[in-house]
Amino acid sequence: MRRREFITLLGLLSLGGAAALWRNLTSFWRPRFNERTAETVTAVVDLMFPGDGLPGATELGIHNRIITMTDLHVLMAYGVVWLDGQATRQGARDFLALDDVGKLAAVEAAFASKDHNARQFVQTIRFYAGLKYYSEPVVKAAFPYTGPPQPDGFADFQNPPK
């Protein structure tokens, strides 16, 4: 073995080489963010913040702002795989093929799931979608009071409810 081959082999076996190899190998079985993932995230955002008298989150483009958060792409991909699995257990091809009641049941199951990725996915989507939705000027205008909540406190809080 020549010196150059030995150094190359030693570099591959080092911690950095092993980490790079592991990162490249795990990408083969890790779900990938793709167009269908984006469509599913859009459906979840629309389900969580439909508007109810106000513009819905997807109507305001909230889903696009979440989809562009690249640091969440792996989590989104795992969440969509979980939701698709839940949909197949309900008899559908995937999450997008479910009706609104089935989608709601799948998302509620994700919130209650013991699967960390599923729970973190729906909680993260709810957090960012809610933050962005209620920061929209049109939504904020629907809640005209801008002062501090209960500036004088609750004067009768020490008394039992009437």
Side-chain angles (χ1 to χ4, degrees):
M1 184 179 285
R2 289 183 279 173
R3 182 174 182 223
R4 179 181 294 226
E5 291 169 342
F6 177 74
I7 291 173
T8 303
L9 180 62
L10 188 63
L12 285 175
L13 296 176
S14 71
L15 185 59
L21 181 64
W22 178 254
R23 184 178 62 241
N24 290 330
L25 288 176
T26 58
S27 66
F28 288 115
W29 63 80
R30 179 177 32 193
R32 297 189 188 280
F33 185 89
N34 54 32
E35 185 63 33
R36 204 177 67 65
T37 306
E39 290 171 9
T40 304
V41 169
T42 300
V44 170
V45 170
D46 189 46
L47 187 70
M48 289 181 175
F49 297 93
D52 294 331
L54 295 171
T58 55
E59 190 178 339
L60 295 171
I62 303 297
H63 63 291
N64 291 326
R65 289 186 246 162
I66 293 172
I67 289 168
T68 59
M69 300 172 88
T70 56
D71 55 330
L72 298 178
H73 280 186
V74 172
L75 177 64
M76 289 182 209
Y78 276 114
V80 169
V81 166
W82 191 92
L83 288 174
D84 286 344
Q86 191 69 20
T88 57
R89 286 188 283 284
Q90 293 184 36
R93 174 178 32 89
D94 59 17
F95 180 79
L96 294 172
L98 291 170
D99 61 0
D100 286 343
V101 173
K103 287 177 182 173
L104 185 59
V107 169
E108 286 176 355
F111 275 113
S113 175
K114 292 183 181 180
D115 184 305
H116 175 73
N117 287 327
R119 208 173 51 253
Q120 186 179 12
F121 166 70
V122 289
Q123 289 173 347
T124 301
I125 295 299
R126 179 181 61 186
F127 172 77
Y128 285 113
L131 183 69
K132 293 173 185 312
Y133 182 74
Y134 290 109
S135 296
E136 282 290 317
V138 68
V139 175
K140 285 173 57 175
F143 304 98
Y145 182 71
T146 59
Q150 298 296 326
D152 296 326
F154 295 94
D156 63 346
F157 186 77
Q158 68 278 358
N159 299 330
K162 297 177 184 175

